[in-house]
Amino acid sequence: MSNFKYQNQELACDQIPLRELAEAFGTPTFVYSGAAIETAYQRLTTAFQGLNTLICYAVKANANLSVLKRLHELGAGFDIVSGGELARVLRAGADPRKIVFSGVGKQDHEIEAALEAGIHCFNIESDAELDRIASIATTTGHIAPISLRVNPDVDPETHPYISTGLNTAKFGVPMAEAEAFYRKAASLTGIEILGIDCHIGSQITSITPYLAAIDKMFTLIDRLMLSGISIKHFDLGGGMGVRYENEPEFPLGALRAALEQRLNDRNLQLVIEPGRYLVANAGVLLTKVIHTKANHEKKFAVVDAAMNDLLRPALYGAVQEVLAVQEPMETGAHTIDVVGPICETGDFLAKDCSLDLKADDLIAICSAGAYGMSMSSNYNTRGRAAEVLVEGGQARLVRTRESVETQLALEIEHLDKPSTTEH
Ligand code: LLP
């Protein structure tokens, strides 16, 4: 979180005090640092320099148009999982030839739109999906470039909800079925075989699961190539972990070393799909204490953000650091839970924090740039938070806070009673 630092006893994002942002834009607000996104992107490009690499940012991590635009300007392509994400990245100026389309359940209209846009590759996850894409491509007069997502059956050693590379998961196809899949793909009109891919999970902090997956994938690639199937790229997926608490720095150098010789010997392009790595530590969720309360020994700070804004603590038991916007004194801290106003005990943002908080204090939930806003909802008829991007010494609103009116506008009020029909 090096772009969020105390200066003059106040937490600031790239020198702009968060207190000023709260005054200007209200709370809760996600605040992103454009400079932090750029630093993370450059760390990746530097690590893979000299390898033929396509970085496709996983849009699901943070889909704000201004964030996408920023990444596009840095040279990123995109990993999308829906027609909605396709529309977003095209609006942000993406080059369709740098878009890969992942996901286990692509629908006809999404496939048609992606073919129409001329995307780089469909990451196919099943035989049924191969048939569907081939049929749509043939009837619409397109050739669909495809890659098969293989499930290498390795344990990514992360939270079970975000482990995808085990053979009990719904993702990909088993390695043993890959050859038959490619044989069939080669026989279909409307299909061009381009690559092979895997994605073993998210928030992976050790190199070990990647090494296991890479070993298995290259053994398979060699087998496929020997049998005459031409593979042009290897897509490793995303999953590179970040520091939320005291996780180690992700070992990019070791990952590069594991890939370099294998890729060069086979003249393969590398595709990676990082999401969290690029944006998590570029953002905080800025929120204000409504009041504090104590139930017996337990102390709570009830804040104006909640699980609808940041679901990770409730859903995964994720721990994200909390910083007081006013730099804390040495004394006065209590052990306190930071909770939202939603009617669920699961509505907490942080537990057992050592903070001295009172009504109207501002706090920042750290590492909220990934899977924060993108997983938010209107639960309890709460409007989604505002989003602010700090760039070049300026803070700009990049998404307006949702009002009750915008939520109600989609609902249809029937003034008449439905006529009753007998069954
Ligand atoms: N590629 C594919 C095919 C994916 O399914 C994902 C994430 C990524 C790339 C990007 O993974 P990343 O580099 O961000 O780890 N909501 C969870 C994370 C879900 C990840 C889903 N897939 C969380 O808040 O931890």
Side-chain angles (χ1 to χ4, degrees):
M1 296 293 297
S2 48
N3 295 74
F4 294 84
K5 286 200 189 102
Y6 287 105
Q7 61 181 33
N8 307 322
Q9 281 82 54
E10 281 194 311
L11 192 62
C13 172
D14 297 328
Q15 282 81 52
I16 302 188
L18 293 181
R19 175 190 44 79
E20 285 180 16
L21 299 183
E23 284 163 9
F25 303 107
T27 52
T29 291
F30 285 95
V31 179
Y32 309 127
S33 156
I37 296 174
E38 183 167 347
T39 306
Y41 186 79
Q42 274 162 1
R43 232 182 279 133
L44 271 186
T45 49
T46 307
F48 292 104
Q49 207 159 32
L51 298 183
N52 175 7
T53 309
L54 174 61
I55 300 177
C56 291
Y57 165 67
V59 175
K60 61 171 80 71
N62 184 326
N64 183 282
L65 281 176
S66 299
V67 169
L68 300 179
K69 213 164 171 189
R70 174 91 194 184
L71 282 159
H72 164 64
E73 283 161 5
L74 288 167
F78 296 97
D79 168 43
I80 58 164
V81 289
S82 69
E85 287 190 353
L86 175 64
R88 273 187 183 277
V89 299
L90 293 177
R91 175 84 76 88
D95 176 352
R97 288 162 308 173
K98 290 195 200 168
I99 298 174
V100 298
F101 193 168
S102 301
V104 285
K106 303 172 193 77
Q107 299 174 59
D108 292 4
H109 66 95
E110 297 174 316
I111 295 167
E112 281 160 23
L115 285 169
E116 197 54 45
I119 66 161
H120 178 61
C121 194
F122 289 87
N123 290 343
I124 294 192
E125 301 227 11
S126 61
D127 208 48
E129 190 170 81
L130 174 63
D131 290 336
R132 185 183 287 269
I133 291 177
S135 148
I136 296 173
T138 309
T139 48
T140 58
H142 292 97
I143 302 285
I146 64 117
S147 158
L148 173 65
R149 177 168 175 181
V150 171
N151 191 325
D153 193 23
V154 300
D155 183 357
E157 297 161 25
T158 184
H159 191 283
Y161 289 5
I162 53 176
S163 294
T164 51
L166 283 168
N167 63 11
T168 46
K170 67 180 174 184
F171 298 101
V173 304
M175 300 201 94
E177 291 171 23
E179 195 170 332
F181 174 93
Y182 280 110
R183 294 238 160 280
K184 176 173 167 182
S187 75
L188 294 172
T189 55
I191 294 288
E192 180 202 355
I193 295 169
L194 207 60
I196 190 158
D197 74 285
C198 66
H199 168 78
I200 56 174
S202 196
Q203 183 54 11
I204 302 170
T205 52
S206 142
I207 193 70
T208 317
Y210 279 109
L211 297 182
I214 288 167
D215 273 347
K216 287 187 167 187
M217 290 299 289
F218 277 92
T219 306
L220 175 61
I221 289 171
D222 286 346
R223 219 171 61 224
L224 294 171
M225 295 248 213
L226 265 178
S227 70
I229 295 156
S230 164
I231 303 285
K232 299 189 183 66
H233 77 231
F234 169 54
D235 182 340
L236 178 62
M240 299 84 184
V242 300
R243 179 169 290 171
Y244 283 102
E245 284 184 276
N246 42 23
E247 292 87 346
E249 189 78 16
F250 186 81
L252 282 179
L255 187 58
R256 181 211 163 96
L259 288 165
E260 184 165 13
Q261 199 181 356
R262 290 173 165 102
L263 290 166
N264 288 345
D265 286 355
R266 295 162 181 86
N267 196 22
L268 287 178
Q269 183 189 38
L270 173 67
V271 180
I272 50 171
E273 303 167 357
R276 187 189 321 262
Y277 188 83
L278 292 173
V279 290
N281 281 328
V284 299
L285 174 57
L286 182 59
T287 173
K288 188 158 82 176
V289 178
I290 300 171
H291 48 238
T292 58
K293 62 180 282 185
N295 281 352
H296 303 288
E297 297 302 296
K298 194 103 188 126
K299 291 190 168 57
F300 299 95
V302 184
V303 299
D304 60 7
M307 67 191 284
N308 74 300
D309 300 298
L310 184 66
L311 187 59
R312 303 192 72 257
L315 188 59
Y316 313 115
V319 177
Q320 298 188 205
E321 194 183 356
V322 179
L323 294 175
V325 166
Q326 184 72 40
E327 191 167 16
M329 303 290 170
E330 290 295 309
T331 55
H334 309 280
T335 299
I336 194 162
D337 285 7
V338 177
V339 300
I342 284 180
C343 309
E344 294 207 25
T345 303
D347 178 28
F348 60 89
L349 297 171
K351 288 198 161 172
D352 299 328
C353 300
S354 194
L355 288 169
D356 179 19
L357 294 176
K358 59 180 185 322
D360 296 331
D361 282 352
L362 293 167
I363 57 172
I365 319 281
C366 296
S367 313
Y371 305 110
M373 185 64 174
S374 62
M375 292 176 77
S376 67
S377 74
N378 291 125
Y379 190 35
N380 280 209
T381 308
R382 292 168 50 87
R384 282 185 178 77
E387 292 181 289
V388 166
L389 179 61
V390 174
E391 277 185 304
Q394 259 197 328
R396 287 193 286 197
L397 186 67
V398 291
R399 193 178 201 269
T400 311
R401 181 180 312 289
E402 277 179 14
S403 65
V404 178
E405 289 70 38
T406 57
Q407 292 181 65
L408 295 185
L410 288 174
E411 290 178 32
I412 300 157
E413 285 179 278
H414 295 282
L415 299 175
D416 57 326
K417 287 217 169 86
S419 56
T420 46
T421 44
E422 288 193 12
H423 292 284

